[in-house]
Amino acid sequence: MADVDEFFHRLDPHMCVVTAVAGGERAGCLVGFASQCSIRPPRFAVWLSKANHTYRVARAAHCLAVHLLTPGQRDLAVLFGGETGDEVDKFSRVDWRERPGGAAVLTGAAAWLVGEILHRTDGGDHVGFVLEPLRWGQGPAGPLLRLSGALPIAPGHPVE
């Protein structure tokens, strides 16, 4: 197998926070693997690490919420990327609202999308969740936080 690390290191995707709610539990994490995956019908896919608390909650969830962040919202990236829900209630530290499907939407995100989970796909150490958009909204305009801006955040749950 070819060493593709140099290819991957050239990527600088937008970062987002994904939240899940199931069984009375809320979880959320910082995600760098997410994108639109279909035009018609509109679909969006997010990939969650099997090591994360959010993944364990998302397995039982019906919907996920995806939040885009601006560089000025790095504090949200630090909270959702640098802490683990195994130890911290991240939602006690942020403003959020319940949206369709019981999804937890972070107030003030640059934009958010709630999607019903249609499919789950094992991709190795991450599982892909294909979402059908149900509702979306937007907040502050501006450029989005990218991986290069989030690299200094020490992961709350490193890949195992």
Side-chain angles (χ1 to χ4, degrees):
M1 180 168 136
D3 181 7
V4 298
D5 287 344
E6 289 304 314
F7 177 86
F8 292 146
H9 286 262
R10 295 189 74 178
L11 301 174
D12 195 14
H14 297 112
M15 301 300 291
C16 57
V17 171
V18 175
T19 59
V21 178
E25 190 172 9
R26 290 182 302 271
C29 64
L30 186 64
V31 171
F33 303 156
S35 86
Q36 180 179 351
C37 61
S38 175
I39 297 170
R40 288 186 188 90
R43 299 287 186 259
F44 195 84
V46 296
W47 294 82
L48 301 178
S49 169
K50 293 177 183 177
N52 285 354
H53 177 250
T54 303
Y55 166 71
R56 293 191 297 277
V57 175
R59 288 186 309 187
H62 299 290
C63 294
L64 297 179
V66 181
H67 307 80
L68 302 178
L69 306 176
T70 66
Q73 296 172 311
R74 195 169 181 283
D75 57 329
L76 286 173
V78 170
L79 175 62
F80 283 90
E83 301 285 346
T84 173
D86 292 323
E87 300 169 2
V88 173
D89 177 7
K90 300 173 191 181
F91 293 87
S92 69
R93 300 179 183 184
V94 296
D95 291 329
W96 63 276
R97 299 175 115 188
E98 186 173 321
R99 293 293 185 177
V105 171
L106 304 178
T107 304
W112 57 269
L113 176 138
V114 172
E116 179 182 355
I117 300 169
L118 298 179
H119 309 285
R120 293 171 177 86
T121 299
D122 192 309
D125 58 9
H126 283 65
V127 171
F129 292 76
V130 176
L131 308 177
E132 176 180 15
L134 299 176
R135 194 164 184 195
W136 77 282
Q138 54 188 332
L144 298 177
L145 178 67
R146 292 187 170 275
L147 175 62
S148 57
L151 284 175
I153 300 170
H157 234 303
V159 174
E160 297 174 346

